[in-house]
Amino acid sequence: MGTYVVTGSASGMGWATAARLRANGHTVIGVDIQPADVVADLSTPAGRRAAVDAVLSACGGRLDGAVLAAGLGPTPGREQPTLITEVNYFGVVELLQAWQPALAAADRAKVVVFSSNSTTTIPAIPGRVIRALLDGDGEKAVRTLRLFGPAASSMAYGASKLAVSRWVRSRAVTRNWAGAGIRLNALAPGAILTPLLEKQLSTPAEAKAIHSFPVPIGGFGDAGKLADWVVFMLSDAADFLCGSVVFVDGGSDAYFRAGDWPKSVPFWRLPAYLRRFRGFKQ
């Protein structure tokens, strides 16, 4: 049995994942702003540092896996763009960077980061915001987001999930992650019936927008079934899964991007890719 950390463990998909892991006999260190094994506010640097230290103390410097499920949705409000980027992006990246040695100390550790199908279904997410987040400049990202006025929160949500997905993809294949035996992947859910979605559905305007969004198979996803996906991605069966973003969204991503993906590697970029691979293998 292993030791796993799950952020966002007090509700929704994080709670369902923690419950599945505990039912399977694993030790789970839950992290949440609500009552959990580690209570921490991931929207602040101090809160993230407290979460890092408490988890490292609780696990004794060894983690068999991590599930980064804590996140904020695109609810309106002037301060929401800041909170969304802090929790959804920095609340993933800073924690994983600090926990990397503990993950490397385990045998074939697995990490699952919660992304979202908003990464490919929200139009016109500004690349400037993505680049700012990947550069670690949250203030610059938020300044750009506020130019979108009432749509700032939606853009912040999509941008935070897109940036964290790209972070996962770029880091997963490096010496510090794949080379250290850590499998780093992301799960991109669609509309899952969680307390957050139930709250949105209680508002007529939001409910109308949600019900009009294309979901080819119809309905909403189940948090417990998403937890089953996470447990699979943490298992030995996922040893060969690396740098993937797995969409579990009822077909919405395919609806919007049927002809956009997969794409072959551009011929002119092959030399750079090969140089990177040779450097990784050395």
Side-chain angles (χ1 to χ4, degrees):
M1 296 294 101
T3 299
Y4 295 87
V5 58
V6 178
T7 70
S9 63
S11 65
M13 291 176 281
W15 180 88
T17 298
R20 286 284 196 281
L21 289 170
R22 289 185 175 118
N24 290 342
H26 299 293
T27 298
V28 175
I29 306 167
V31 178
D32 207 291
I33 196 169
Q34 302 296 331
D37 303 296
V38 174
V39 178
D41 182 357
L42 300 185
S43 71
T44 69
R48 294 192 289 269
R49 186 70 248 173
V52 164
D53 292 343
V55 168
L56 290 176
S57 175
C59 74
R62 184 184 187 278
L63 283 169
D64 294 283
V67 180
L68 286 296
L72 295 177
T75 53
R78 177 171 173 76
E79 297 306 317
Q80 281 303 105
T82 299
L83 293 173
I84 289 168
T85 55
E86 289 291 328
V87 175
N88 294 7
Y89 182 76
F90 295 106
V92 172
V93 169
E94 290 181 11
L95 269 57
L96 283 179
Q97 288 173 329
W99 291 335
Q100 189 275 345
L103 292 160
D107 180 31
R108 297 178 299 171
K110 308 289 194 310
V111 176
V112 179
V113 170
F114 270 73
S115 176
S116 167
N117 73 343
S118 67
T119 54
T120 59
T121 61
I122 292 180
I125 296 174
R128 185 177 178 183
V129 176
I130 307 303
R131 291 189 293 272
L133 290 174
L134 290 170
D135 289 340
D137 193 341
E139 291 183 3
K140 181 178 180 180
V142 171
R143 284 198 303 271
T144 302
L145 287 164
R146 286 193 172 135
L147 298 175
F148 289 85
S153 291
S154 292
M155 283 294 177
Y157 182 77
S160 67
K161 293 298 187 177
L162 187 48
V164 83
S165 297
R166 291 187 181 176
W167 185 90
V168 165
R169 301 251 312 151
S170 64
R171 299 307 188 279
V173 295
T174 64
R175 189 187 302 274
N176 282 345
W177 295 90
I182 306 166
R183 299 296 176 259
L184 177 58
N185 295 285
L187 186 65
I192 310 301
L193 199 56
T194 62
L196 174 61
L197 181 59
E198 290 173 348
K199 182 179 179 181
Q200 292 173 312
L201 289 170
S202 68
T203 305
E206 290 190 62
K208 182 178 179 181
I210 291 167
H211 285 298
S212 66
F213 186 81
V215 181
I217 70 167
F220 302 118
D222 177 76
K225 292 179 180 177
L226 261 292
D228 290 336
W229 273 95
V230 177
V231 170
F232 164 74
M233 293 170 73
L234 295 172
S235 73
D236 291 346
D239 279 349
F240 209 53
L241 193 67
C242 178
S244 294
V245 180
V246 180
F247 284 83
V248 184
D249 69 346
S252 298
D253 172 64
Y255 177 90
F256 283 98
R257 293 200 313 153
D260 296 340
W261 180 260
K263 284 187 176 179
S264 62
V265 175
F267 182 78
W268 60 271
R269 296 186 70 175
L270 275 175
Y273 287 139
L274 292 173
R275 284 196 299 273
R276 284 181 59 197
F277 183 70
R278 285 195 293 269
F280 173 81
K281 295 294 283 185
Q282 289 173 359

